[in-house]
Amino acid sequence: MTTNQTIDNQPKSNITQVILASSVGTLIEWYDFYIFGALATIISTKFFPLENPTAAYLSVLATFAAGFVVRPFGALVFGRLGDLVGRKYTFLLTLVIMGGSTFAIGLVPSYAAIGAAAPIIVLILRLLQGLALGGEYGGAATYVAEHAPAHKRGYYTSWIQTTATLGLFLALGVILITRRSVGLETFSDWGWRIPFLISAFLIAISIYIRLRMSESPLFNKIKAEGKISKNPLKESFTKRVNMKMVLLALFGATMGQGVVWYTGQFYALSFIEKTCNIEFVEARNIILIALAIATPLFIFFGWLSDRIGRKAIMMTGMLLAIMTYRPIYKAMYELADVSKKQETEQSIYNTDVTTMVITKKYADGTIYKETTKNAMPTKPVITKEINLGTNAYWTMIFLIFIQVVYVTMVYGPIAAFLVEIFPTRIRYSSMSLPYHIGNGIFGGLTPYIATRLTTHLGDPYAGLWWPIVIASLCFMIGMIYLSNRIDENVAD
Amino acid sequence: MNVIKRYFGIIWILLGPASIIYGIIQAAAELSPNAKTPPTQETYTFWIIILIIFIPIAAGISLMGYYALQGDYDRLPKDSSAL
């Protein structure tokens, strides 16, 4: 019996366990990674100097981005390890590093307490998080794909693809519950540390589940046959036939997929919060609802990719994103543009001697609140918050939902696509690098670059040039060079 | 189709250095003391990150273009024996 037949004949309960164990661990790693980004606004006031809030926010985005930039290095380090010693122990190790770093961020004293050491320690821990994530995803995707039958590879690996969104969902959910439980003031003071500290508990559960798993059957097979690569990195990136596929996977698939993903889930949040001034909780609720509705589509498009091919779905998602981003963001901006709404009520009051609050109500139910804090001798700090009326609120959710549908199209089939273009002996290393350059660098830097383009050029839509240009380039390369063929045999 | 794949290789080869030059020109303009908005620490951080990260990636797209021009993508491998 061949390895492919062994995989096809394994009991359903076995593959369910494999998917569950891999997905839970990956979900928790994403949770750990995202709480930092989701709390960027608060973190910027805790670990960075307060004199310039915009500079502090950009600094924290840069620290956030550092976690992404280092991911390709994690892919190299842990990819190599995974191809040498096996998938199981490698992604157990990444889990421990991720959980430890996240827990430690929750314990770092603030800038006010220890000065410049605070952002430095946070940066180091953020780099460790990025390294761990760089090793995790390739291992989990490879592990599931190497257990999956050929005709269900897209479907089974798509469960891993849901974990990134569910991880964000979990992160936002824990933040909102914590904030509601401890109150806004306590949350801003120290309560924001709780989501980081909870990670230790989640990681312990995941380690327990993963320890009960066995090694990938395909890895065991090549190990028994003595076919393990002696130097996976050298084989992956210096051998021309492999390197050309690594480059094609990056420029023809993961680069565009990365920017579509991070625009739909992260830049969208940054845009509605920083550019549209939607209130903190409401902004996160909008994203959460859109994610909850769209997440099952990861599974659908993974399943569909087993029938009509991976390329067709990914390229369609990319093309739709390129064509509709500008009208979607224009509609989002206009929903929150109070200058075009009919004002029905206004009140001005002081909460204390230094703080003045202006509240305006509009005919569609939108509420605008402007708080001015005079903190002499520095300039007054003005914060604007908008709570949308019911119709505008649901329209905003719909506009985010459309973007998440694009995410599910480009991201649902990508694990199966990457697994199929590289052989077992160098799969972990070879697929991890293009995935993490595409997602970690092109995708992960999207909020940072797009926010900067917007503030630098003064145009609220300028940030969209980044995902549109990158996705267009990737679409062209993918359409010209990629094949829509599904590789039946990944046991080679 | 193979002819198109190869001709497009020339575009990818040129795109690498073109994007590096564009990046350097933009960085020089923003970091210049005569810039419209005086450069801050954040401006330096941004451009250091962008240039360090994207120069090797730009080299990568040129390499892919070179492979395309050489006909490496005319036929993609159907299984690992071709790798």
Side-chain angles (χ1 to χ4, degrees):
Chain A
M1 192 181 276
T2 67
T3 312
N4 258 358
Q5 285 167 321
T6 310
I7 291 168
D8 288 348
N9 295 335
Q10 65 184 320
K12 201 179 172 193
S13 60
N14 186 31
I15 187 70
T16 307
Q17 277 180 351
V18 165
I19 293 170
L20 185 72
S22 305
S23 302
V24 168
T26 312
L27 184 149
I28 291 166
E29 287 221 26
W30 283 117
Y31 163 84
D32 287 353
F33 198 70
Y34 287 146
I35 45 176
F36 192 97
L39 289 170
T41 312
I42 288 180
I43 289 174
S44 66
T45 63
K46 299 294 169 190
F47 295 124
F48 296 90
L50 287 170
E51 293 80 42
N52 183 342
T54 307
Y57 185 73
L58 282 170
S59 299
V60 84
L61 275 184
T63 309
F64 182 56
F68 287 102
V69 171
V70 82
R71 277 167 56 179
F73 297 99
L76 292 176
V77 172
F78 295 108
R80 178 178 179 275
L81 207 58
D83 283 329
L84 287 174
V85 304
R87 288 49 166 135
K88 179 187 166 181
Y89 290 105
T90 306
F91 67 4
L92 258 174
L93 181 62
T94 63
L95 202 56
V96 173
I97 295 172
M98 178 62 97
S101 312
T102 308
F103 184 74
I105 290 175
L107 300 174
V108 178
S110 66
Y111 183 86
I114 59 169
I120 293 170
I121 295 170
V122 169
L123 178 63
I124 291 169
L125 292 169
R126 186 70 188 151
L127 292 175
L128 281 173
Q129 280 192 322
L131 273 179
L133 191 64
E136 164 68 23
Y137 173 82
T142 302
Y143 187 79
V144 173
E146 290 180 351
H147 279 87
H151 64 288
K152 287 187 175 173
R153 198 175 296 125
Y155 171 62
Y156 285 150
T157 54
S158 67
W159 288 92
I160 291 287
Q161 303 306 99
T162 64
T163 59
T165 299
L166 292 175
L168 175 65
F169 196 81
L170 183 65
L172 294 180
V174 169
I175 289 166
L176 290 177
I177 290 169
T178 310
R179 197 175 135 117
R180 194 160 288 176
S181 304
V182 301
L184 181 58
E185 204 171 315
T186 311
F187 186 80
S188 301
D189 188 18
W190 60 266
W192 60 270
R193 294 179 185 273
I194 294 172
F196 288 95
L197 301 176
I198 285 174
S199 171
F201 170 69
L202 297 174
I203 290 288
I205 295 172
S206 185
I207 289 172
Y208 172 74
I209 296 172
R210 282 198 173 173
L211 275 171
R212 293 154 57 96
M213 294 157 66
S214 52
E215 185 51 87
S216 149
L218 299 189
F219 182 81
N220 277 341
K221 176 178 173 270
I222 62 163
K223 191 177 176 186
E225 292 169 352
K227 288 182 181 170
I228 287 178
S229 173
K230 287 188 174 60
N231 192 339
L233 295 186
K234 191 177 173 192
E235 200 175 325
S236 295
F237 308 117
T238 61
K239 225 173 143 185
R240 183 164 169 162
V241 283
N242 286 325
M243 187 59 183
K244 76 173 185 187
M245 297 311 290
V246 170
L247 292 171
L248 185 55
L250 168 61
F251 295 116
T254 61
M255 175 174 81
Q257 172 258 303
V259 292
V260 171
W261 179 18
Y262 282 85
T263 301
Q265 287 190 199
F266 300 97
Y267 180 60
L269 175 62
S270 172
F271 185 84
I272 60 174
E273 196 180 4
K274 305 295 283 187
T275 309
C276 300
N277 296 312
I278 304 292
E279 187 264 335
F280 180 94
V281 174
E282 184 161 306
R284 278 148 188 80
N285 281 339
I286 287 169
I287 298 284
L288 277 174
I289 294 169
L291 286 178
I293 300 169
T295 295
L297 293 174
F298 282 109
I299 313 289
F300 170 73
F301 286 117
W303 169 84
L304 191 64
S305 77
D306 286 328
R307 278 147 188 82
I308 66 168
R310 327 288 183 207
K311 173 185 167 179
I313 297 170
M314 293 191 299
M315 293 300 137
T316 306
M318 240 177 261
L319 182 63
L320 288 171
I322 295 162
M323 288 167 58
T324 60
Y325 270 160
R326 279 192 76 91
I328 286 174
Y329 276 79
K330 194 164 182 289
M332 287 162 64
Y333 187 78
E334 284 173 358
L335 279 175
D337 186 359
V338 288
S339 69
K340 291 181 179 164
K341 294 178 193 279
Q342 191 193 341
E343 191 181 319
T344 55
E345 200 181 316
Q346 189 185 96
S347 62
I348 303 172
Y349 56 92
N350 290 305
T351 54
D352 57 54
V353 285
T354 59
T355 308
M356 184 180 72
V357 180
I358 302 171
T359 306
K360 294 177 183 175
K361 290 184 180 172
Y362 296 87
D364 70 342
T366 297
I367 299 169
Y368 172 81
K369 186 177 165 190
E370 186 177 299
T371 309
T372 308
K373 279 192 179 178
N374 290 301
M376 296 293 279
T378 55
K379 283 193 292 186
V381 179
I382 301 171
T383 52
K384 297 172 183 173
E385 287 180 337
I386 291 172
N387 287 92
L388 294 171
T390 309
N391 285 346
Y393 179 76
W394 285 102
T395 310
M396 186 70 91
I397 289 171
F398 176 70
L399 293 169
I400 303 285
F401 167 78
I402 295 172
Q403 295 178 64
V404 184
V405 172
Y406 302 156
V407 176
T408 61
M409 292 179 80
V410 296
Y411 196 58
I414 197 91
F417 166 80
L418 289 172
V419 163
E420 285 165 0
I421 60 175
F422 298 109
T424 308
R425 67 180 188 280
I426 55 166
R427 182 169 291 138
Y428 203 148
S429 313
S430 298
M431 73 168 277
S432 293
L433 190 72
Y435 174 84
H436 286 290
I437 293 178
N439 287 278
I441 292 179
F442 284 99
L445 290 180
T446 296
Y448 183 44
I449 293 174
T451 303
R452 194 178 186 283
L453 280 172
T454 302
T455 51
H456 190 69
L457 299 174
D459 169 11
Y461 314 116
L464 292 172
W465 284 116
W466 172 252
I468 289 173
V469 168
I470 297 297
S472 302
L473 179 61
C474 185
F475 176 77
M476 277 180 70
I477 294 173
M479 287 305 290
I480 295 169
Y481 297 103
L482 286 183
S483 160
N484 196 41
R485 195 182 68 86
I486 296 171
D487 186 3
E488 292 290 318
N489 180 22
V490 294
D492 47 5
Chain B
M1 190 64 191
N2 286 343
V3 177
I4 294 172
K5 284 181 180 178
R6 290 187 184 207
Y7 278 129
F8 265 94
I10 299 170
I11 296 176
W12 315 135
I13 290 172
L14 297 175
L15 187 62
S19 53
I20 293 171
I21 292 165
Y22 177 76
I24 290 172
I25 291 171
Q26 285 294 314
E30 281 195 33
L31 298 174
S32 157
N34 304 322
K36 201 165 66 179
T37 315
T40 61
Q41 191 187 353
E42 185 278 322
T43 321
Y44 285 100
T45 310
F46 177 80
W47 281 109
I48 288 169
I49 290 175
I50 295 299
L51 292 178
I52 288 178
I53 292 170
F54 285 103
I55 286 176
I57 291 174
I61 204 164
S62 290
L63 182 62
M64 194 198 81
Y66 172 74
Y67 288 158
L69 188 62
Q70 296 282 308
D72 285 36
Y73 295 115
D74 287 359
R75 291 183 67 189
L76 294 180
K78 290 197 171 162
D79 61 55
S80 297
S81 60
L83 290 174

